[in-house]
Amino acid sequence: MPKQRDRILSYGGSITIVTLIGVWVLLLFIGFALVIWPGLGTAIQTSQGTTPTDFGTALYYTGFSLTTLGTGDLVPQTDGHRFLMVLQSLLGFSIFTLALSYVLAVYGALTSRNTFALKLHYRSAGSADSAELLRRLATGNDLNMLNQNLADIAQSLINILELNNSYPLLLYFRYRQPYYALARVIYLVMDTATLIKSTLNQDYYSSIIHSSNVAEVWHGGLHLLSELNHQILRKEKLSPQELNESFWQEHYYRALEQLQSEGIKTINDPKTGADIYISLRHRWATDLARLTAYTGYQPNQIYK
């Protein structure tokens, strides 16, 4: 269903979280009902009349115990079943509280991720162009401003890494707008770090290239890609363009021109810089291509 693909995939995360919580509750209901069932008519009796002994009645008893409704028409007669009813009420209250807390936490984490994605989107002038992003970060050859901007990006990236470790479900929230794509966020961050290491003047920007902020961005991005790819179980067919060194080289020289047009001090030997860029990009390009394919985006939605 190619015409409906984006719309259908946009429900993936929400459907997954509802299904997950539904399975939790369903298994809890069935498990307790199986425990209660043999006691119907003996350890558990109705307040009036004959006690039904079917599985539906066991589910009914379990339901009002777990939801703490306490209707009272089925009454436990033994100490063990009285304690079990109290336990069910405690677990029922806990599971609903935990489920609500989990949903709020997941959507809070998703908001943090989307906020970072929008910041990168606007900083790159909505172009998914890492060279444009770096040009804006390094404008005026201001080392302090560049370092501060990189610190902000590094902090947001590490935050996303930790949120993904805590809530792996975040991978399955996929938006129609490509600027929210996690693959695009990682591309902008990783390619910007790669361009910093390969395009900027090695003498003037030495303190930036070897700074802790660039190290956090680079290693944090690699770590995040590694964690995400552990969640991808199937093999993906990768686009040749994404792993094409000629395309990478063209992108590198175009980025170099953009930086030079802004008056930013660049590397003295562009050919060496291109070799460095290609070597570094090989370290993350394949994992990013797998993530792009798995989340259902086209390469031109992720890459400039």
Side-chain angles (χ1 to χ4, degrees):
M1 302 173 64
K3 292 184 179 180
Q4 302 297 324
R5 188 167 183 258
D6 283 346
R7 184 175 65 85
I8 292 171
L9 290 178
S10 68
Y11 297 128
S14 301
I15 291 173
T16 302
I17 198 170
V18 170
T19 302
L20 179 64
I21 293 173
V23 169
W24 290 351
V25 174
L26 179 63
L27 291 178
L28 198 62
F29 266 70
I30 293 174
F32 270 115
L34 290 172
V35 173
I36 294 299
W37 195 9
L40 292 176
T42 54
I44 300 172
Q45 298 180 7
T46 59
S47 52
Q48 294 180 346
T50 305
T51 304
T53 58
D54 57 287
F55 186 66
T57 302
L59 281 174
Y60 167 69
Y61 178 86
T62 299
F64 74 65
S65 298
L66 284 173
T67 56
T68 66
L69 293 175
T71 56
D73 52 339
L74 288 169
V75 182
Q77 303 297 317
T78 65
D79 291 340
H81 278 77
R82 291 189 185 100
F83 173 77
L84 187 61
M85 186 176 188
V86 173
L87 179 63
Q88 284 180 269
S89 299
L90 288 173
L91 286 176
F93 178 78
S94 299
I95 196 71
F96 290 121
T97 303
L98 288 171
L100 180 59
S101 300
Y102 182 73
V103 171
L104 292 175
V106 167
Y107 278 94
L110 193 62
T111 299
S112 297
R113 192 183 84 181
N114 290 348
T115 300
F116 183 42
L118 277 178
K119 288 172 68 175
L120 292 177
H121 176 66
Y122 292 131
R123 283 183 172 185
S124 61
S127 62
D129 185 358
S130 51
E132 177 66 19
L133 175 59
L134 180 56
R135 184 183 71 80
R136 290 168 181 266
L137 294 177
T139 187
N141 294 299
D142 189 333
L143 296 180
N144 290 331
M145 184 60 68
L146 176 57
N147 197 47
Q148 183 178 338
N149 288 330
L150 289 172
D152 177 54
I153 291 174
Q155 182 179 3
S156 298
L157 180 65
I158 297 301
N159 184 49
I160 287 181
L161 172 60
E162 280 305 303
L163 290 175
N164 181 76
N165 288 337
S166 300
Y167 308 105
L169 184 67
L170 291 174
L171 175 62
Y172 304 101
F173 282 87
R174 193 259 194 204
Y175 291 87
R176 301 186 200 184
Q177 303 92 334
Y179 51 79
Y180 282 127
L182 185 56
R184 181 158 161 175
V185 170
I186 296 174
Y187 166 70
L188 282 170
V189 168
M190 291 304 300
D191 200 51
T192 298
T194 305
L195 288 174
I196 287 173
K197 291 171 175 283
S198 59
T199 61
L200 297 184
N201 185 281
Q202 302 291 306
D203 295 324
Y204 184 80
Y205 285 102
S206 177
S207 62
I208 297 294
I209 294 171
H210 302 290
S211 68
S212 60
N213 291 325
V214 171
E216 283 184 22
V217 172
W218 176 257
H219 292 290
L222 290 177
H223 189 179
L224 179 56
L225 272 175
S226 175
E227 293 292 329
L228 291 170
N229 273 274
H230 284 153
Q231 296 178 241
I232 300 175
L233 301 180
R234 69 170 191 252
K235 292 184 178 180
E236 298 291 340
K237 184 178 180 181
L238 305 182
S239 167
Q241 178 187 351
E242 296 176 82
L243 304 176
N244 188 328
E245 289 190 3
S246 298
F247 173 75
W248 296 352
Q249 192 173 57
E250 180 184 337
H251 168 67
Y252 173 82
Y253 283 114
R254 188 170 57 249
L256 204 61
E257 290 178 6
Q258 285 180 256
L259 296 175
Q260 289 170 347
S261 67
E262 189 65 25
I264 295 170
K265 298 180 180 181
T266 57
I267 193 168
N268 295 324
D269 185 357
K271 187 178 184 308
T272 300
D275 292 338
I276 294 172
Y277 176 81
I278 290 172
S279 174
L280 292 174
R281 185 155 177 171
H282 270 296
R283 295 184 59 183
W284 52 266
T286 302
D287 283 346
L288 183 61
R290 287 188 69 207
L291 178 63
T292 300
Y294 184 72
T295 50
Y297 289 102
Q298 297 300 317
N300 59 5
Q301 293 178 296
I302 303 301
Y303 306 93
K304 168 89 167 112

